[in-house]
Amino acid sequence: MGRCLGEEMLITQSSLQQGDVAFWLPSVLGEMRSAQAALGLRSRWGKMVVVPDVHVRICAQEIIKYDLEIKALVQDIRESPGPLSLLTELNAKVKVMFQQLRLQIQDLEQMAKEQDRESDKQALLAEVENHRKQMLSNQTAWRKANLACKLAIDNHEKDELLHSGDSSIRHRKMTKEGLVQTASSITESLMSISRMMSQQVQQSEESVQTLATSSRTVQETNEEFKNMTGTIQLGRKLITKYNRRELTDKLLIFLALALFLATVVYILKKRLFPFL
């Protein structure tokens, strides 16, 4: 896994320029730390506890791969001189990558919920949240790159308009149409993000309802425990009372037996030794 990550880092860095490596290096290092956390949980003594699920490792690799590809495409958009057709093509690729990345994150979240150990589950859910934050950061960078690219294209079109006359005006109209198409694609992406956030809110509501149900169950169990405590105390009192009654009965039996023996001795004495 470490060798695969190193090879992906070398390939990505070789495909970007020197300034691009400086720009994306913090994000890439963050992804490496996320991959390390997804593949294993570090204990407080520094030892690594490996999650045995191979599917989790594969899913983490896919998430890192799509994230690096998105970063490379966003950098291409930022440095793209145009035309709008190329920008539209790059945006279409970015949309596909975001869809694949979102599916992989959802798969990783489902795998996290299926973990047997609570520590593994919580660690993977934390990694899912980190991946979602990184995806939102990439989407923000994507929008900024589109704005920068469209601004550069617009400035270029203005320069051509000053020198080429009518042909530049027609080209500018085409540019505006491309800008409208790009804005529409970005709007669709934002709507997709909004739907995803709505799904997250719905999942949070379901979690709150589950917690409320668990709380009611705990309260009912507590009430039953109190009732059982009262019953046990009543039984203890009855047992104590019966023990006292048993002691009294034994004492009475002993006194009756002593009286009987004394009576027998007295009768024998009168019959056998009447002169005493």
Side-chain angles (χ1 to χ4, degrees), residues 71-250:
K71 284 181 170 62
L73 288 173
V74 169
Q75 188 64 24
D76 292 339
I77 291 174
R78 180 178 285 105
E79 296 178 354
S80 175
L84 283 174
S85 58
L86 177 60
L87 179 61
T88 303
E89 182 180 355
L90 291 174
N91 281 322
K93 292 180 179 179
V94 172
K95 284 177 62 177
V96 173
M97 290 299 168
F98 270 121
Q99 291 175 356
Q100 296 296 328
L101 178 59
R102 191 176 297 111
L103 291 176
Q104 292 296 331
I105 291 175
Q106 290 176 357
D107 291 340
L108 183 60
E109 183 179 13
Q110 184 63 31
M111 293 178 188
K113 293 179 179 179
E114 294 174 355
Q115 292 296 319
D116 295 332
R117 296 176 56 186
E118 185 65 22
S119 58
D120 296 346
K121 177 180 179 181
Q122 295 299 327
L124 289 178
L125 288 177
E127 288 306 316
V128 169
E129 186 65 24
N130 291 334
H131 286 312
R132 286 206 173 104
K133 291 180 180 178
Q134 186 64 32
M135 184 176 66
L136 292 176
S137 176
N138 289 336
Q139 289 171 344
T140 302
W142 178 32
R143 290 194 294 270
K144 291 180 179 179
N146 271 283
L147 292 175
C149 183
K150 287 186 288 186
L151 182 61
I153 293 174
D154 193 29
N155 292 332
H156 181 68
E157 294 300 327
K158 288 180 181 179
D159 294 337
E160 288 184 354
L161 179 62
L162 294 175
H163 295 88
S164 59
D166 294 338
S167 61
S168 297
I169 293 174
R170 288 193 299 269
H171 188 64
R172 185 177 179 182
K173 289 180 179 179
M174 294 175 63
T175 302
K176 288 183 177 180
E177 293 177 356
L179 289 174
V180 170
Q181 294 179 355
T182 304
S184 299
S185 63
I186 294 175
T187 302
E188 291 178 358
S189 299
L190 291 175
M191 291 177 65
S192 177
I193 294 172
S194 177
R195 287 192 296 269
M196 184 179 66
M197 293 179 68
S198 298
Q199 292 176 357
Q200 293 299 322
V201 171
Q202 185 177 359
Q203 291 179 359
S204 299
E205 291 178 353
E206 292 177 355
S207 299
V208 170
Q209 292 178 357
T210 303
L211 289 175
T213 304
S214 300
S215 178
R216 288 194 298 270
T217 304
V218 170
Q219 290 178 356
E220 292 175 356
T221 305
N222 190 18
E223 293 295 332
E224 292 180 359
F225 178 74
K226 289 181 179 179
N227 294 332
M228 290 178 65
T229 302
T231 304
I232 291 171
Q233 291 178 353
L234 180 60
R236 183 182 301 172
K237 291 179 181 179
L238 291 174
I239 291 172
T240 304
K241 183 178 179 181
Y242 290 151
N243 288 333
R244 292 177 181 175
R245 181 65 60 84
E246 182 181 2
L247 180 60
T248 303
D249 292 341
K250 287 181 179 179

Side-chain angles (χ1 to χ4, degrees), residues 1 35-43 47-54 56-57 115 117 120 124:
M1 176 63 187
Q36 184 182 20
L39 294 176
L41 305 176
R42 189 173 297 276
S43 65
K47 296 181 180 180
M48 185 67 68
V49 181
V50 179
V51 177
D53 195 353
V54 178
V56 174
R57 295 199 293 268
Q115 292 296 319
R117 296 176 56 186
D120 296 346
L124 289 178

